[in-house]
Amino acid sequence: MMAAWYEQTVDGVLLDITGVLYNSGPGRGSVIPGSVDAVDRLRQAGLPIRFCTNETTSTKSALVEKLQFHGFNLTEADVFPPAPAVCSILKRRHLRPFLLLHPNARANFADIDTSNPNCVVMGDAVDEFTYENMNKAFKLLMSLEEPVLISMGRGKYYKEDNEIVLDLGAFMKALEYACDIEAEVVGKPSPSFFNAALEDMGVTSDKVVMVGDDVVNDIGGSQACGMRGVLVRTGKYRPSDEQHPTVKPSGVVDNLAQAVDLILKHR
Amino acid sequence: MMAAWYEQTVDGVLLDITGVLYNSGPGRGSVIPGSVDAVDRLRQAGLPIRFCTNETTSTKSALVEKLQFHGFNLTEADVFPPAPAVCSILKRRHLRPFLLLHPNARANFADIDTSNPNCVVMGDAVDEFTYENMNKAFKLLMSLEEPVLISMGRGKYYKEDNEIVLDLGAFMKALEYACDIEAEVVGKPSPSFFNAALEDMGVTSDKVVMVGDDVVNDIGGSQACGMRGVLVRTGKYRPSDEQHPTVKPSGVVDNLAQAVDLILKHR
């Protein structure tokens, strides 16, 4: 019989943020019970942690500030959101984006040239996903000889204020279909996105556990990179996720606290 | 060598409306030159005509009134839009829809029970495709044991005011992806939709020519029913449509007038 996910060596941990540390909602949202303490216990055990998030509705500093307010022990250097990775790509490839973003996320692209755009970058624009804005992105893509659509994730939905709501993946699909193109996804489940966090941590994927609430993007994505992917029953989790047609989590736990219990007990 | 599309018997004609008879735009839009006369000439030749449209931003009577204002010789009985077909389905299957529609199209569903909805019906909602409305449809679908999404067409884009703009197919794809479901399409290219017009006309598909500006929905759809599908270079037509990877039009003409010239010359 194969060893359980927590019985094999764990030398580093990747954590999803929304749905694992806290739930988004009015104001700063609400902490998931036991998660602040769970992060502290991983720190005390000397385990390196990186936070791998597809959060694109704020800046990294605003996100970290919110989490620190809730008592989480983390710094900006520990957090890997898609926007900085997208900025590197834009600069390297001389791309000038039309930005389809949440207003709070625009500051992430402050030093990017957006004149005369030759690509589209989309994040979770929420109420900015209007017909007018979708059309602007569509018309630009249709006007380009080689249309480039960069999407900061491909999530279907997330939990907000105790309800599931549409994530940017749905609107990415809309543009892919209308323009007959395929988006480049920066963020989970893109392997290069996970690998950047692993490299920064200096631990190989076989020694790392990823904990998340998205069975496809967190669990399937991390497993494709050679990590163990552990699904929490918090955040957007739905019981049907445990019978997903293509992704079988390495483990399923009630919450982050339980995942950390198991990791530390077997060290 | 095979006979050209106009050299074989033509005993009936199906016409798309937008992009073939007229282009939508400010006010009542603008007639495509030669189209009023082309319809008259088909009538004079005694050829039955039906108008097969995925128009879902108005009522049938408002659409017919607009076309009559432009001088087109047609009545409500000649026009087949998706809404009446959807109403029949809703009644037969005891479905109570959440309606994601253009405000002008709501009257089509005036006698439909929309209390406590158990399905979603979407048309070209245009500015009503807000994040809020998309979320309402999404949450309802996710709450249903057997989610039913009925989409009045699956078009990618159309031409409005001389620009291409997103059609409802893009937003249908968004909901399909987020909910992991497949929409039921009522309207072109659905065979049952074309067949209703053919039956009403009393002509078998092999004797009928469909003229449209949408290579997939008009041309591919009618060909799949055994008709000849003739693409016009008006409306949303783009030169790349003539090199479509899967659909090869039975013929390509500059406009409806030219299609009618060819049909009548070879009768």
Side-chain angles (χ1 to χ4, degrees), chain A residues 131, chain B residues 54-58 82-83 86 98-103 105-106 108-109 120-129 134 149-155 158 166-172 175 186:
Chain A
Y131 183 67
Chain B
N54 278 6
E55 173 61 50
T56 59
T57 61
S58 70
V86 170
F98 167 73
L99 297 169
L100 185 48
L101 292 179
H102 192 284
R106 300 195 79 85
N108 290 315
F109 297 87
V120 170
V121 168
M122 65 192 297
D124 181 19
V126 193
D127 290 329
E128 294 292 303
F129 281 130
M134 287 291 285
L149 171 62
I150 296 177
S151 184
M152 295 192 281
R154 51 181 295 133
Y158 58 95
L166 283 170
D167 199 357
L168 86 163
F171 299 91
M172 176 197 85
L175 290 174
V186 177

Side-chain angles (χ1 to χ4, degrees), chain A residues 124 126-132 134-135 138-139 142-143 154-158 163-167 169-180 217 238 244, chain B residues 124 126-132 134-135 138-139 142-143 154-158 163-167 169-180 217 238 244:
Chain A
D124 181 19
V126 193
D127 290 328
E128 295 291 304
F129 281 130
T130 60
Y131 183 67
E132 190 184 351
M134 287 291 284
N135 249 325
F138 165 71
K139 285 187 223 175
M142 291 294 276
S143 75
R154 51 180 296 135
K156 296 182 173 196
Y157 54 85
Y158 58 95
E163 287 197 309
I164 52 171
V165 293
L166 283 170
D167 199 357
F171 298 90
M172 176 197 84
K173 276 288 162 190
L175 290 174
E176 284 188 336
Y177 173 73
C179 303
D180 254 324
N217 294 297
R238 292 158 62 97
H244 192 276
Chain B
D124 181 19
V126 193
D127 290 329
E128 294 292 303
F129 281 130
T130 60
Y131 183 66
E132 191 185 350
M134 287 291 285
N135 249 325
F138 165 71
K139 283 187 222 174
M142 292 294 276
S143 75
R154 51 181 295 133
K156 297 182 172 194
Y157 54 85
Y158 58 95
E163 287 197 310
I164 52 171
V165 293
L166 283 170
D167 199 357
F171 299 91
M172 176 197 85
K173 276 289 160 188
L175 290 174
E176 284 189 336
Y177 173 73
C179 303
D180 253 323
N217 294 298
R238 292 157 64 97
H244 193 276

Side-chain angles (χ1 to χ4, degrees), chain A residues 38-65:
Chain A
V39 172
D40 282 340
R41 288 189 287 141
L42 288 174
R43 298 275 189 211
Q44 283 152 20
L47 272 173
I49 315 172
R50 296 294 182 278
F51 300 86
C52 243
T53 175
N54 277 7
E55 173 61 50
T56 60
T57 61
S58 70
T59 59
K60 194 197 235 190
S61 61
L63 176 63
V64 167
E65 209 172 286

Side-chain angles (χ1 to χ4, degrees), chain B residues 93-219:
Chain B
R93 287 162 56 186
H94 305 291
L95 291 168
R96 300 177 305 277
F98 167 73
L99 297 169
L100 185 48
L101 292 179
H102 192 284
N104 293 349
R106 300 195 79 85
N108 290 315
F109 297 87
D111 65 337
I112 296 290
D113 179 9
T114 57
S115 65
N116 186 23
N118 59 2
C119 78
V120 170
V121 168
M122 65 192 297
D124 181 19
V126 193
D127 290 329
E128 294 292 303
F129 281 130
T130 60
Y131 183 66
E132 191 185 350
N133 286 338
M134 287 291 285
N135 249 325
K136 278 185 194 161
F138 165 71
K139 283 187 222 174
L140 171 60
L141 290 168
M142 292 294 276
S143 75
L144 299 170
E145 192 80 37
E146 292 179 33
V148 173
L149 171 62
I150 296 177
S151 184
M152 295 192 281
R154 51 181 295 133
K156 297 182 172 194
Y157 54 85
Y158 58 95
K159 207 159 186 175
E160 167 92 19
D161 208 359
N162 228 18
E163 287 197 310
I164 52 171
V165 293
L166 283 170
D167 199 357
L168 86 163
F171 299 91
M172 176 197 85
K173 276 289 160 188
L175 290 174
E176 284 189 336
Y177 173 73
C179 303
D180 253 323
I181 58 173
E182 203 170 322
E184 302 176 26
V185 176
V186 177
K188 299 176 288 186
S190 158
S192 60
F193 189 70
F194 281 117
N195 287 334
L198 290 177
E199 269 172 42
D200 187 66
M201 193 154 66
V203 184
T204 56
S205 64
D206 58 313
K207 305 277 191 297
V208 173
V209 168
M210 164 85 204
V211 182
D213 68 335
D214 186 314
V215 68
V216 171
N217 294 298
D218 293 329
I219 309 310

